[in-house]
Amino acid sequence: MRSAILHLAFDGLDAREASSEAFTDNEASNALSRGLGYEPNGTTWATRRGNPAPLTAWKLTRKNWEQSRRDDIQLTGVEACLPVLGLDRPQRA
């Protein structure tokens, strides 16, 4: 699912980077971020079950996404949605 969202963000909407956060002890989420090419981008805190808990912040650049992007995801209908989102067709460099 996250791969599809990243494909929409980068390929469909021309995002420059994506970010994510996961509780430090959430090994599955942190491993998924790492596997998709995200890099650690600091730490912060959030409240979990009424107690402070550390979060790991992650950042995925377009360059890193392009190196690990899946080739089996196809976008359709994105251009028709751009005006509804207040966006023009992204201009890629």
Side-chain angles (χ1 to χ4, degrees):
M1 175 70 100
R2 194 163 359 158
S3 290
I5 297 298
L6 290 169
H7 202 88
L8 173 62
F10 285 111
D11 194 47
L13 303 175
D14 204 31
R16 287 181 243 158
E17 65 181 42
S19 61
S20 183
E21 293 179 335
F23 287 105
T24 303
D25 60 358
N26 186 338
E27 294 297 328
S29 183
N30 288 305
L32 177 62
S33 293
R34 199 174 299 109
L36 289 170
Y38 284 81
E39 296 178 336
N41 192 33
T43 57
T44 189
W45 292 85
T47 302
R48 179 174 56 182
R49 297 184 196 106
N51 296 306
L55 289 171
T56 299
W58 296 93
K59 179 173 80 170
L60 179 63
T61 62
R62 171 177 284 282
K63 180 181 175 184
N64 284 359
W65 173 77
E66 287 173 345
Q67 292 173 355
S68 63
R69 69 183 283 180
R70 290 176 39 180
D71 61 2
D72 62 334
I73 298 173
Q74 299 294 318
L75 298 176
T76 58
V78 174
E79 293 234 5
C81 296
L82 295 177
V84 175
L85 298 172
L87 301 173
D88 293 325
R89 180 66 196 150
Q91 301 297 314
R92 295 207 171 88

